[in-house]
């Protein structure tokens, strides 16, 4: 960002403040396949590659899940830990618990032809977020040493989508 | 976004990069009335209408709760599910549990004249977030098929405020 | 934001749209010392001072933890309440629980020389977020009356870092 005097000398009193690098709003939907639930799918590489493609050097990336039974979580990708976190999620809202949402005889709205009982997945989602925002400095996502970005499948295996947005200059 | 050569020919080496559509930072406080607790108040229409009013075509919307006992959550608006999620919240930190925060004989700070015991509401808030950020593409919030935005009342019925910010071009 | 005609009269048909106040992407890593776990370290003053230094008048601040066992949470700073929330966190995933992540005989990755058992801290982190985004209006963070920003230590005392990003004009 700098200021330059534009136009003829007579016009120089009008300072035109210019962006050396204009603000970019880059938005990319990305699909991932899940294979079980709960499942932590590491999407860090996909996030990094959209940030690189966006050309954003200074700004931030927002990772957004478009689902109500798949969340965004940043944590460590250590296989035994993923088992621990899956157990904590299951403990908070057990899959075989009793959920009004699963009583299709009483449900009157939002019923698909292939509707499956997934009350636990919605309640487990309470634990996590739909979006997380990560700073970008000098083109690098500011993930800490152990941080990885996950799309967390809470329901059942399927194709899931997250939206990655890079904003910056 | 494009680049134009500004000024006289002698000045043309200075490239002035311009925004066709300037960056907008639109911020709007919105009030909602709550009627019980826990209560999921669907604020999706209010969020959409602020985004429309902002004129932002590409960017993102941040929904922010200004309260410590009311959270922002994105999930499905199915009445039986809202009962399930309310029960999961109550199970995590029961309303009639034992909270130091409710012992007004020991509290020395942050006491209002009409202070009510609400330790459970603060602890339930641990489950959820204060902010969520949603991408906007071509003027449309990128909410998935079942996603709705909720302000979640955890304390007692009252007037609550959230701030909606639309950023983009 | 306004439009000015740049260059010589012949060039006046090219409208150069300028920002009176250009978009700023300010990013600042901030260190804090923690002394126990779980611990809510109030970082509100540090957040406010980075926002002030950024010069952003209208925009938003994102608070980002670079750690997998330290989270960002916005809630009330009342000492008895912090005890309640610490207890709720400990109740959700007890420190002395059984975690696969703590079985160093089976762990094959991500092992430091001074590795400590901290499975509980990762699982407690499920309750909270890595980032929160707060609107800025007229240079003021839009924190509600009781809202304070915390970095939440879940593991053990050490130096922790969060990144504060102010975006706006």
């Amino acid at each position: 960002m700098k200021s330059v005097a534009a136009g003829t000398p007579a016009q120089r009193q009008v300072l035109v403040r210019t962006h050396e690098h204009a603000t970019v709003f880059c938005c990319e939907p990305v699909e991932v396949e899940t294979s079980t639930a709960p499942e932590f799918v590491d999407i860090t590489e996909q996030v990094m590659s959209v940030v690189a493609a966006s050309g954003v050097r200074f700004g931030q990336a927002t990772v957004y899940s478009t689902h109500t039974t798949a969340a965004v979580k940043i944590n460590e990708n250590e296989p035994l830990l993923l088992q621990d976190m899956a157990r904590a999620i299951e403990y908070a809202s057990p899959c075989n618990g009793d959920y009004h949402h699963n009583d299709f005889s009483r449900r009157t709205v939002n019923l698909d032809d292939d509707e499956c009982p997934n009350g636990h997945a919605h309640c487990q989602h309470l634990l996590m977020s739909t979006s997380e925002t990560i700073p970008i400095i000098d083109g690098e996502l500011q993930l800490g040493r152990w941080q990885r970005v996950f799309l967390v499948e809470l329901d059942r295996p399927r194709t899931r989508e997250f939206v990655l947005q890079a904003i910056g200059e």
Side-chain angles (χ1 to χ4, degrees), chain A residues 37-50:
Chain A
E39 184 181 25
F40 289 80
V41 183
D42 191 324
I43 58 174
T44 313
E45 295 304 321
Q46 288 103 310
V47 173
M48 283 176 170
S49 92
V50 175

Side-chain angles (χ1 to χ4, degrees), chain A residues 112-132:
Chain A
D112 259 345
D113 287 344
D114 63 343
E115 192 71 24
C116 289
N118 66 357
H120 67 289
H122 289 283
C123 290
Q124 291 170 356
H125 192 283
L126 283 170
L127 287 171
M128 282 167 286
S129 303
T130 296
S131 66
E132 289 279 8

Side-chain angles (χ1 to χ4, degrees), chain A residues 40-68:
Chain A
F40 289 80
V41 183
D42 191 324
I43 58 174
T44 313
E45 295 304 321
Q46 288 103 310
V47 173
M48 283 176 170
S49 92
V50 175
V51 169
S54 76
V56 168
R57 303 292 300 167
F58 295 92
Q60 60 184 32
T62 294
V63 186
Y64 181 82
S65 165
T66 62
H67 305 283
T68 54

